[in-house]
Amino acid sequence: MTEQIKTSITGYGLVFKRVMKDTKLNIEAKALYAYLSSYAGSDQSAFPSVELICHELDISKNRFRKYRKQLEDNG
């Protein structure tokens, strides 16, 4: 993958318990939420592209869109 973003291995993101306890969300949607949460609030890096997310989570763009929609549909 040739795309690079300014990032750090250190740090963490907050994952809300409400999301983890929501039975309408499956484990892949929760994993995507946790991944995205790890980038939230960082003022020195941008959110990664869909391509990078898919690469790092080893999922297809269709799978990414499916679980992003599940998160959006459930607020």
Side-chain angles (χ1 to χ4, degrees), residues 8-74:
S8 173
I9 298 296
T10 62
Y12 59 91
L14 294 176
V15 177
F16 290 102
K17 190 181 289 187
R18 182 183 79 79
V19 174
M20 294 298 128
K21 294 178 74 71
D22 190 337
T23 58
K24 292 176 284 190
L25 296 174
N26 65 28
I27 194 165
E28 290 183 86
K30 293 174 183 183
L32 178 58
Y33 176 83
Y35 178 93
L36 293 172
S37 293
S38 72
Y39 283 90
S42 177
D43 58 357
Q44 293 188 350
S45 66
F47 276 94
S49 67
V50 171
E51 290 78 16
L52 184 59
I53 293 168
C54 291
H55 172 75
E56 291 184 343
L57 296 180
D58 194 26
I59 60 174
S60 68
K61 287 183 184 180
N62 286 338
R63 199 169 180 185
F64 168 83
R65 284 190 285 270
K66 176 181 178 179
Y67 295 111
R68 183 188 64 194
K69 181 171 180 359
Q70 190 179 99
L71 290 170
E72 291 171 352
D73 289 349
N74 285 284

